Amino acid sequence: MQIDWEPLVQAAHKVREHAYAPFSKFRVGAALLTADGRIFTGCNIENRTYGLTLCAERCAIAAWVAAGSPGHPQALVVHADLSPPARPCGLCRETLAEFTKDLPILLTNPKGERDLVTLKEIFPQPFEWTGPAHGR
Ligand code: THU
């Protein structure tokens, strides 16, 4: 499938402005494209306990799941002010792997740098146990 990255990049830029990051001041935006053509966005949401911080990628996944998980994840853009562009953290990689075997991920920053990776590349060995009650 040919990914039209530009609307996703724009969506990640826009949602990054909504980040709640008073502690780190490091704002992150994520935009998830699903097979039905919809875009689900997320930003990081920090917490004074620090440990409760929600990353932008998991926020986007949460928005998609809360909408009923329509369409399979097709592509993800992550936008943050880091050079080279920021990679998703381990928690986010594991969360993405829960819902997709592989996913093209475009990492961008305000300088216009872009790195295209795949989930498989950056997270080759997910936890694979599915559990006795897996499925919906
Ligand atoms: N953050 C993300 O939103 N995504 C990641 O993959 C890594 C880190 C956020 C969490 C925290 O609010 C800030 O970036 C600094 O770690």
Side-chain angles (χ1 to χ4, degrees):
M1 185 195 171
Q2 193 61 35
I3 309 292
D4 181 10
W5 289 104
E6 292 323 306
L8 271 182
V9 169
Q10 287 311 313
H13 280 205
K14 201 169 162 208
V15 71
R16 180 171 173 259
E17 290 167 19
H18 299 164
Y20 176 73
F23 304 105
S24 72
K25 312 278 189 213
F26 186 71
R27 295 168 167 266
V28 187
L32 178 73
L33 173 71
T34 56
D36 59 352
R38 290 170 67 180
I39 294 175
F40 295 89
T41 58
C43 55
N44 53 329
I45 305 172
E46 297 187 343
N47 185 271
R48 65 192 63 196
T49 63
Y50 286 40
L52 282 182
T53 291
L54 178 67
C55 293
E57 298 90 322
R58 280 176 294 136
C59 184
I61 285 284
W64 169 66
V65 172
S69 313
H72 195 74
Q74 294 293 301
L76 179 75
V77 169
V78 181
H79 184 64
D81 191 1
L82 195 69
S83 180
R87 269 87 182 114
C89 80
L91 280 180
C92 290
R93 294 177 196 199
E94 192 72 68
T95 302
L96 291 165
E98 179 69 28
F99 297 106
T100 172
K101 281 203 184 318
D102 203 4
L103 186 72
I105 306 174
L106 185 68
L107 309 165
T108 67
N109 65 20
K111 281 180 161 176
E113 293 173 329
R114 293 183 174 197
D115 284 343
L116 184 60
V117 299
T118 68
L119 181 61
K120 229 179 188 151
E121 241 170 63
I122 64 168
F123 196 58
Q125 295 186 3
F127 182 55
E128 282 177 323
W129 180 71
T130 53
H134 192 73
R136 297 174 184 228

